[in-house]
Amino acid sequence: MINVAIDGPAGAGKSTIARTAAKNLGYIYVDTGALYRAVGVYSLRHGFDTKNADTVAATLPDIQVELKFLGDIQHVFLNGEDVSEEIRTPDASMAASDVSAVPAVRQFLFDLQRDIAKQNNCIMDGRDIGTVVLPDAQVKIFLTASPEARAQRRYKELQEKGASDTYEAVLADLKQRDYNDSHRAVAPLKPAEDSVLVDTTALNLEKSVEKVISVIRNKMTD
Ligand code: DC
């Protein structure tokens, strides 16, 4: 199977770019952040402290997370319920960042990710795909952009959904998540040694997709 790993910080455009590139190449697109978000949403719903690693780890026996592909769209199910919308709130983003620092959570979601990649040509995006989940992926890309460019894009997305968050709040949240994700002890966000860096600060969506597809094609013909 062909596996492409795309890692990078929040808001670099990973999901939109990876989804479009996957469609173009005929691969499935797997958004692994949705898995961490589903675990976070479980704690939020039950009023658990997402910053308490023991509390979060203790929820895992009560959680079943599944990914299903309806058409080529990924849906995430939490104990049989489709939570694909609920996982996208700013609270769910922060909860996901919190629970993703818990080693038991990463272990819990590991096999699920590996199994999908074993069975499908896929582009998988996340934080540790090239470094931990799929160290043998044929192509690894580290996709990034400046914090301000990323915050601006997130802000626009939230505005389109009618959310009232300010740009400053979005930027502060994003910087906090960057810090959390790259300073945690287990599987911190960092480029794999054999990854290709793609910076989308000055690229629009179309150019970013072109760049990513050309990196994939070049690697495949190496
Ligand atoms: O990509 P995202 O914003 O949906 O991810 C939500 C959180 O999940 C993010 O703050 C870090 C975490 N995450 C992770 O630790 N490892 C992954 N492979 C994907 C996401």
Side-chain angles (χ1 to χ4, degrees):
M1 289 297 159
I2 297 167
N3 291 166
V4 177
I6 302 189
D7 292 300
K14 288 192 305 290
S15 57
T16 316
I17 294 167
R19 185 184 305 113
T20 315
K23 202 169 186 161
N24 187 292
L25 295 163
Y27 301 170
I28 64 164
Y29 161 60
V30 185
D31 160 20
T32 63
L35 303 170
Y36 293 90
R37 287 169 178 270
V39 172
V41 159
Y42 183 89
S43 275
L44 286 180
R45 280 184 174 183
H46 290 81
F48 296 139
D49 177 7
T50 52
K51 295 197 188 308
N52 184 319
D54 292 337
T55 306
V56 170
T59 64
L60 296 175
D62 299 323
I63 299 182
Q64 201 202 359
V65 180
E66 285 168 290
L67 288 184
K68 290 187 188 162
F69 295 89
L70 308 176
D72 53 6
I73 310 282
Q74 170 188 298
H75 287 248
V76 60
F77 288 76
L78 172 62
N79 292 338
E81 180 189 346
D82 189 343
V83 291
S84 308
E85 286 283 321
E86 189 175 341
I87 61 167
R88 296 296 158 200
T89 65
D91 280 352
S93 300
M94 206 49 89
S97 184
D98 287 344
V99 303
S100 71
V102 180
V105 171
R106 307 202 70 83
Q107 193 57 43
F108 176 72
L109 297 173
F110 185 79
D111 289 343
L112 177 61
Q113 299 170 77
R114 280 288 271 262
D115 288 347
I116 295 172
K118 250 187 228 159
Q119 291 160 17
N120 300 279
N121 292 330
C122 68
I123 299 186
M124 188 172 281
D125 90 21
R127 303 292 187 287
D128 63 337
I129 308 305
T131 49
V132 177
V133 178
L134 304 177
D136 298 328
Q138 290 91 335
V139 187
K140 298 180 186 179
I141 294 173
F142 195 82
L143 197 72
T144 190
S146 72
E148 290 73 20
R150 292 186 283 122
Q152 191 58 48
R153 293 174 194 162
R154 248 313 126 85
Y155 173 63
K156 240 181 103 193
E157 262 172 37
L158 286 167
Q159 271 199 324
E160 278 160 15
K161 286 187 191 161
S164 58
D165 309 64
T166 62
Y167 167 76
E168 287 71 25
V170 173
L171 179 62
D173 256 33
L174 195 130
K175 285 186 170 168
Q176 182 65 52
R177 281 217 286 151
D178 279 359
Y179 185 86
N180 291 353
D181 296 347
S182 48
H183 286 79
R184 66 182 177 222
V186 188
L189 170 67
K190 62 166 192 229
E193 273 175 19
D194 48 351
S195 63
V196 176
L197 183 80
V198 175
D199 187 323
T200 67
T201 306
L203 301 181
N204 64 16
L205 177 62
E206 199 188 340
K207 292 275 176 236
S208 304
V209 171
E210 270 174 25
K211 176 83 192 148
V212 163
I213 290 178
S214 83
V215 169
I216 296 171
R217 290 201 197 281
N218 285 342
K219 278 272 168 193
M220 300 306 295
T221 53
D222 260 359

